[in-house]
Amino acid sequence: MSTKHDGLNLVKAVSAFSRKLERFTSANPSAEPAHTMTADEIRQKKIDYHEQEFKLSVVNEYKKFRFPYKMLGAHAPAADALVNEQQQLLAAYNIHKALAEADAQFRTAETFLQEHVIASPLAQMEQYTMGDSFVYLQCWLFYEQQAKAYVPYFAVQQDGSYRLQFAPLRNFKLGYKEKEVAAVIKACFYPSETTDIF
């Protein structure tokens, strides 16, 4: 059962709230009521958020390939392993390029390089053959080493094993996901580069 006293308290509370609202409005006369987001705006915000998350994850992952000792630790075994993998890929690239150049220079109609196989432990590493990490190594080779004549890739053999091979840049196309990763890497780390891997 409410009393006259309760009614006075309610009037005082409403009056106090009105004064606060009036002070707020007069302090910020251009304040507009909060905008209610539409479904399309919410969807766009989610897309923007996921794009930023993707970009940040690519940048952080590529930093490991570009600066392994800085990102993984000066004496970290993981950094040593990554640098070793980079050197293996660079060696394979140089072997392939030397063979291709020698073949172009010395070949005859009857004598030429028909097929060469480059053995590499990279072909045994699932993070490169089946995982998503090889595009980072490809970008490292392409941009950091300026190795742009050929692009490395893994070809699946009949027995299910993988072989490291190279394709001329003009004939090579990255897959959709790898292309997105490479585009972020170029935009964030090499914006002035005129040649793309993708």
Side-chain angles (χ1 to χ4, degrees), residues 109-121:
E110 298 82 24
T111 305
F112 52 89
L113 186 67
Q114 186 168 12
E115 184 179 344
H116 59 271
V117 176
I118 298 175
S120 173

Side-chain angles (χ1 to χ4, degrees), residues 27-121:
N28 190 3
S30 63
E32 296 178 15
H35 171 70
T36 304
M37 293 177 67
T38 65
D40 287 342
E41 289 172 327
I42 292 170
R43 196 170 15 262
Q44 187 60 49
K45 286 273 187 198
K46 285 181 181 177
I47 290 169
D48 293 345
Y49 174 78
H50 288 299
E51 284 177 357
Q52 286 297 2
E53 286 265 305
F54 173 72
K55 184 177 178 180
L56 185 61
S57 72
V58 168
V59 166
N60 288 337
E61 184 66 18
Y62 187 65
K63 281 181 182 176
K64 295 175 195 172
F65 286 81
R66 194 170 183 209
F67 313 110
Y69 289 111
K70 182 179 176 183
M71 300 304 296
L72 300 172
H75 304 289
D80 290 337
L82 184 52
V83 168
N84 184 41
E85 291 158 13
Q86 291 172 332
Q87 293 310 307
Q88 289 172 20
L89 184 62
L90 182 59
Y93 176 88
N94 287 332
I95 291 168
H96 174 82
K97 187 173 183 230
L99 286 171
E101 288 172 353
D103 183 55
Q105 183 177 355
F106 299 113
R107 74 183 305 158
T108 67
E110 298 82 24
T111 305
F112 52 89
L113 186 67
Q114 186 168 12
E115 184 179 344
H116 59 271
V117 176
I118 298 175
S120 173

Side-chain angles (χ1 to χ4, degrees), residues 4-19:
K4 183 177 178 183
H5 184 68
D6 291 337
L8 287 174
N9 283 342
L10 182 59
V11 169
K12 284 181 183 177
V14 170
S15 178
F17 177 75
S18 295
R19 283 194 303 274

